[in-house]
């Protein structure tokens, strides 16, 4: 568990923002990932929300030097196994269930599990998790809730995701218990569809320069 936690922490410290990506066309995966890496955001979460996701992860893993690609929207053991087989380096879940945590214990794929309440955070701490996704960040309470957790739960570090934008990311990054944020604004659907990789690289550069 400690080895996997160290891997999650290292991934969270690669850049201030982890791009959260929904890919409909696998042909867009490699040039998109190259643009994100060139812009300074090498940790990329490809969500399992489309049929192209696993093929996209496989392509990025094989073809994009410097990318640390992970799988998002992991809900059960089968997702973990498929992500590992595709070459993912980390997994992210919107929440947790006992079965998912048991599967994660048996897998060597590091998991960044989601939590939205103090009770969920405490449960995950009992299971050995010190690095968590706070989701959905803005609807669940935003910076006020995360800031309130910093004192009673100082050993937990978060990647808040959900409703965060370029203009609000720095507010989260300024919190002592936040290592990075997750954001979907780096890969907007219109830019992916148009193949505007220069625009995506620029968005990545803006995100990579953020400070708390």
């Amino acid at each position: 568990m400690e080895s996997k936690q160290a891997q999650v922490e290292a991934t969270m410290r690669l850049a201030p923002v982890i791009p959260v990506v929904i890919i409909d066309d696998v042909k867009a995966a490699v040039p998109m990932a190259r643009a994100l890496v060139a812009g300074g955001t090498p940790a990329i979460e490809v969500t399992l929300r489309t049929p192209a996701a696993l093929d996209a992860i496989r392509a990025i893993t094989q073809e994009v030097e410097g990318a640390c690609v992970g799988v998002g929207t992991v809900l059960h053991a089968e997702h973990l196994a498929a992500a590992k087989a595709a070459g993912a380096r980390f997994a992210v879940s919107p929440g947790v269930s006992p079965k998912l945590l048991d599967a994660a214990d048996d897998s060597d794929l590091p998991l960044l599990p989601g939590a939205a309440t103090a009770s969920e955070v405490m449960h995950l701490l009992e299971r050995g998790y010190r690095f968590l996704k706070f989701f959905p960040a803005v609807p669940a309470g935003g910076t006020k809730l995360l800031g309130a957790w910093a004192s009673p739960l100082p050993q937990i570090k978060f990647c808040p995701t959900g409703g965060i934008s370029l203009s609000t990311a720095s507010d989260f990054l300024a919190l002592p218990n936040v290592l990075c944020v997750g954001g979907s604004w780096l890969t907007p659907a219109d830019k992916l569809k148009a193949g505007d990789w220069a625009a995506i690289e620029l968005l990545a550069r803006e995100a990579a320069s953020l400070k708390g």
Side-chain angles (χ1 to χ4, degrees), residues 90-135:
F90 64 97
V92 185
S93 61
V96 291
S97 70
K99 286 184 178 180
L100 178 60
L101 292 178
D102 289 344
D105 285 345
D106 294 334
S107 171
D108 59 0
L109 188 64
L111 176 66
L112 179 66
T117 68
S119 294
E120 290 170 348
V121 172
M122 290 171 62
H123 174 64
L124 286 164
L125 182 60
E126 287 182 354
R127 295 287 299 245
Y129 290 91
R130 301 188 317 279
F131 302 96
L132 308 180
K133 172 180 177 175
F134 174 48
F135 179 83

Side-chain angles (χ1 to χ4, degrees), residues 14 130 141 143 172 190:
L14 285 173
R130 301 188 317 279
T143 55
F172 285 91
D190 60 333

